[in-house]
Amino acid sequence: MRVIGAGFGRTGTLTLKTALERLGFGPCHHMTEVIGDSRQVRRWLAVSRGETPDWDSVFAGYQSCVDWPAAAYWRELAAHYPEAKIVLTVRDPARWLDSMRATILKQRERGTTLPFRMTMWFSKVLGTDLAAFMEMTRRIVTEREFGGRADDSEYLVERFEQHVAEVKAAIPPERLLVFEVRQGWEPLCGFLGVPVPDEPFPRVNDTADFQARTRARLSPLLLRRS
């Protein structure tokens, strides 16, 4: 593991994943990788339930990680991989909250509807990945990161700002880059010690893209077994 992303989801993590892979720090672990791999779903479910993780097995084949679920364990990962550099993606807290409401929190609200509850029951009965994935994200994001208070907007902003402060306080400055993806290649490449590519910095996963990706990627989990 060469680079650990400590930033919350909706701070440009998929953009950072794309950039890191372009710079030679891939494959980069991201929630999209978990959705696409039944083994990852089950490993992270075990971690979320409190089982002691074998980080080297969880991240086998990866050179970097960003986004949840990994970002929720940034302290543990920073200690386990002491040579890895830490990138803390940030953005304006109010804009982050707006993005969360339009994407992750909206998806969470859909989970309370009768059709979705019936779908979850079906997945649990069959033992397929959808129920396991939803339990994992609830435990790691809703409970671990937000203390079960994902409906409290004021608290979410406070928690976001608290998280940024905690990472800055815990990681030595020479090991940490506080990064807004709108800054582009230069600060990221300078921090990682690699040349700036002769191409535009990637911009991916806006709100509309998130919604389309989520529908397309979660549907197969309903029938997929590990």
Side-chain angles (χ1 to χ4, degrees), residues 8 14 36 41 58 64 67 83 99-100 103 110 124 131 141 144 178 204:
F8 278 176
L14 190 56
V41 171
V58 171
S64 56
D67 195 49
E83 301 302 315
S99 180
M100 285 286 290
T103 55
R110 291 193 182 105
K124 288 178 182 178
V141 180
R144 180 184 174 93
V178 180
V204 294

Side-chain angles (χ1 to χ4, degrees), residues 48 135 137-149:
S48 76
E135 179 186 344
T137 55
R138 174 182 58 80
R139 287 178 177 273
I140 291 178
V141 180
T142 304
E143 297 177 4
R144 180 184 174 93
E145 292 285 44
F146 300 131
R149 299 173 63 183

Side-chain angles (χ1 to χ4, degrees), residues 17-48:
K17 167 184 165 65
T18 306
L20 288 171
E21 291 178 339
R22 170 61 184 84
L23 295 173
F25 294 88
C28 179
H29 188 279
H30 182 277
M31 185 67 86
T32 55
E33 305 284 321
V34 179
I35 294 173
D37 186 342
S38 185
R39 294 168 300 176
Q40 284 279 331
V41 171
R42 302 298 170 161
R43 285 170 181 164
W44 282 105
L45 178 60
V47 172
S48 76

Side-chain angles (χ1 to χ4, degrees), residues 74-191:
W74 64 271
R75 287 185 188 272
E76 293 89 338
L77 295 177
H80 187 76
Y81 298 106
E83 301 302 315
K85 294 189 175 183
I86 314 299
V87 178
L88 173 62
T89 43
V90 297
R91 67 187 299 186
D92 174 77
R95 295 188 65 183
W96 170 79
L97 178 62
D98 288 343
S99 180
M100 285 286 290
R101 284 172 172 162
T103 55
I104 294 172
L105 297 181
K106 180 173 285 188
Q107 188 66 33
R108 179 174 171 270
E109 289 174 4
R110 291 193 182 105
T112 65
T113 65
L114 180 59
F116 192 87
R117 293 202 305 270
M118 292 176 65
T119 301
M120 287 291 290
W121 176 86
F122 184 71
S123 177
K124 288 178 182 178
V125 168
L126 292 180
T128 61
D129 284 347
L130 182 61
F133 176 80
M134 297 304 293
E135 179 186 344
M136 180 271 291
T137 55
R138 174 182 58 80
R139 287 178 177 273
I140 291 178
V141 180
T142 304
E143 297 177 4
R144 180 184 174 93
E145 292 285 44
F146 300 131
R149 299 173 63 183
D151 296 324
D152 186 338
S153 295
E154 183 176 348
Y155 172 76
L156 289 178
V157 171
E158 291 176 358
R159 178 70 188 105
F160 179 86
E161 294 174 334
Q162 178 190 41
H163 173 75
V164 171
E166 287 173 350
V167 176
K168 288 180 178 179
I171 305 299
E174 64 274 12
R175 194 185 177 193
L176 176 66
L177 174 67
V178 180
F179 181 60
E180 294 189 47
V181 294
R182 63 182 176 84
Q183 295 174 297
W185 288 120
E186 284 74 11
L188 181 63
C189 292
F191 177 65

